[in-house]
Amino acid sequence: MRGVLLHTPGDIRVEDRERPAVVEPTDAVLKVAAACVCGTDLWPYRGLEDVDGPAPMGHEYVGTVEEVGDQVRDIEVGDFVVGSFFASDNTCEICRSGYQTHCVNRQPGAATGAQSQYVRVPLADGTLVATPGQPDPDLIPSLLAASDVLGTGWFAAVAAKVGPGRTAAVVGDGAVGLLGVLAAQQLGAERIIAMSRHTDRQALAREFGATDIVEERGDEGVARIKELTGGLGAHSVIEAVGTQESMMQAIRSTRPGGHVGYVGVSHDVSLPGQELFFSGVHLHGGPAPVRRFLPELIRLIWDREIDPGKVFDPTLPLEQAAEAYRAMDERRAIKVLLTTD
């Protein structure tokens, strides 16, 4: 099969790789229908995380089940499935509490790399969710979004206690932030403030439900949020970047008693204890338990109530993965979908 490998920072190649097979009796092997490049893939691509290359890339995937281990009971060959970036048994006490990304048996969800024609998924029964049937082609981008960025944005909104009568603010205008806007709209937020400097992303944020746009960042962005909320700050703030600046911008934009849902992968973030102590702000987040939300997200997509696939601006064939990474690195694209045929 063909698959994407990162050799060294900036060096993405599509090469012939061994087709994955069932290793454990709880595995499934999928023929990947679509994959994509994630913002977190850019950290090692940029050299900001160590690369043990050549490293298989990709953790977002949808596809058709080709093979299952002899202990797989709920997922069948021929099912079209959506998975998440962590594999979980979905039966342990932590999973049952809704935190499958902290499953006692968690593993990488796309064990062999999802930016490829086939992928092995461990703990298939707990990790994969089958769609009601074979999806129409135009639904595949939205189902792919559910495997990570939609589920992550949704968790951020839930962690931030977004709901009716509340003002939500979103720090970050990448795919996760934009889908955090969509989630906030679906969860009934009265007002949604998207923080973005890019006109194309502002337009999509408004399409997903943003009522206000704030272009300022840092202290100026915080001041603008306060201005829009009677000097108090937002009830609910989604942090979808993972830097020191974005985290502090989120915390300082939140009113006392409000909630921050943080899902940006943390890079050198440290919290000032005394400021946090006196802020009265709740913090909750981390790697999103996408599996918790998949059944409901798939239903919303299948019934065409939401269209999160709009975050994919270009679609490229797998063979052009290097260009997909460049486009995202240079912010010429929000998120790139890769077709595998």
Side-chain angles (χ1 to χ4, degrees):
M1 71 168 188
R2 302 288 282 170
V4 175
L5 296 170
L6 176 63
H7 284 254
T8 58
D11 184 6
I12 283 284
R13 306 181 199 176
V14 182
E15 301 179 357
D16 289 327
R17 298 182 52 211
E18 184 177 355
R19 181 186 182 280
V22 166
V23 176
E24 300 293 337
T26 52
D27 288 348
V29 174
L30 313 185
K31 186 178 190 302
V32 177
C36 52
V37 180
C38 183
T40 57
D41 294 329
L42 297 180
W43 293 100
Y45 178 79
R46 291 168 172 162
L48 300 174
E49 290 180 357
D50 292 337
V51 179
D52 186 15
M57 297 298 289
H59 53 266
E60 300 158 281
Y61 56 95
V62 293
T64 302
V65 178
E66 293 261 318
E67 183 182 0
V68 296
D70 59 16
Q71 291 182 19
V72 177
R73 299 288 179 263
D74 300 327
I75 297 298
E76 299 179 352
V77 171
D79 284 347
F80 191 92
V81 294
V82 183
S84 58
F85 51 87
F86 273 120
S88 58
D89 58 32
N90 208 35
T91 59
C92 77
E93 187 172 343
I94 303 301
C95 286
R96 294 199 307 273
S97 70
Y99 287 84
Q100 290 90 338
T101 42
H102 301 275
C103 173
V104 298
N105 293 309
R106 80 172 185 179
Q107 304 171 45
T112 55
Q115 292 166 12
S116 56
Q117 292 177 307
Y118 295 87
V119 64
R120 178 174 67 84
V121 179
L123 303 173
D125 279 339
T127 305
L128 300 173
V129 179
T131 58
Q134 294 298 312
D136 294 334
D138 67 311
L139 287 182
I140 289 177
S142 287
L143 292 169
L144 177 60
S147 75
D148 183 352
V149 286
L150 174 60
T152 296
W154 201 278
F155 172 61
V158 169
K161 300 293 184 183
V162 174
R166 294 172 71 88
T167 293
V170 181
V171 179
D173 64 356
V176 171
L178 290 168
L179 292 175
V181 171
L182 183 152
Q185 188 273 334
Q186 287 289 307
L187 293 170
E190 182 176 290
R191 191 177 191 185
I192 304 169
I193 304 168
M195 306 189 83
S196 172
R197 291 179 168 178
H198 303 89
T199 55
D200 57 338
R201 300 177 187 220
Q202 292 173 3
L204 189 53
R206 288 197 180 277
E207 188 173 347
F208 283 156
T211 56
D212 301 89
I213 301 293
V214 167
E215 295 192 355
E216 295 87 348
R217 290 183 180 175
D219 292 342
E220 291 182 356
V222 171
R224 182 65 179 137
I225 294 288
K226 294 287 183 69
E227 181 183 339
L228 290 170
T229 55
L232 300 177
H235 301 89
S236 304
V237 179
I238 291 170
E239 191 285 314
V241 183
T243 65
Q244 182 73 24
E245 181 185 40
S246 63
M247 179 63 90
M248 296 314 302
Q249 183 171 305
I251 292 170
R252 292 168 179 166
S253 296
T254 308
R255 66 180 58 196
H259 295 76
V260 174
Y262 61 95
V263 292
V265 179
S266 177
H267 285 79
D268 298 321
V269 173
S270 59
L271 299 179
Q274 190 170 49
E275 180 178 352
L276 188 61
F277 182 80
F278 284 103
S279 71
V281 170
H282 301 76
L283 298 180
H284 183 43
V290 171
R291 178 62 180 82
R292 185 207 306 184
F293 306 107
L294 274 181
E296 175 64 6
L297 299 181
I298 289 171
R299 184 196 68 77
L300 289 169
I301 292 164
W302 200 263
D303 293 344
R304 297 181 182 273
E305 295 182 28
I306 60 174
D307 188 8
K310 289 180 179 179
V311 295
F312 297 108
D313 27 13
T315 294
L316 296 175
L318 185 68
E319 294 295 329
Q320 294 183 31
E323 168 56 21
Y325 275 78
R326 283 193 296 270
M328 287 187 61
D329 182 43
E330 297 166 7
R331 295 185 72 84
R332 290 185 282 112
I334 299 172
K335 193 167 180 67
V336 183
L337 185 146
L338 297 172
T339 58
T340 57
D341 289 333

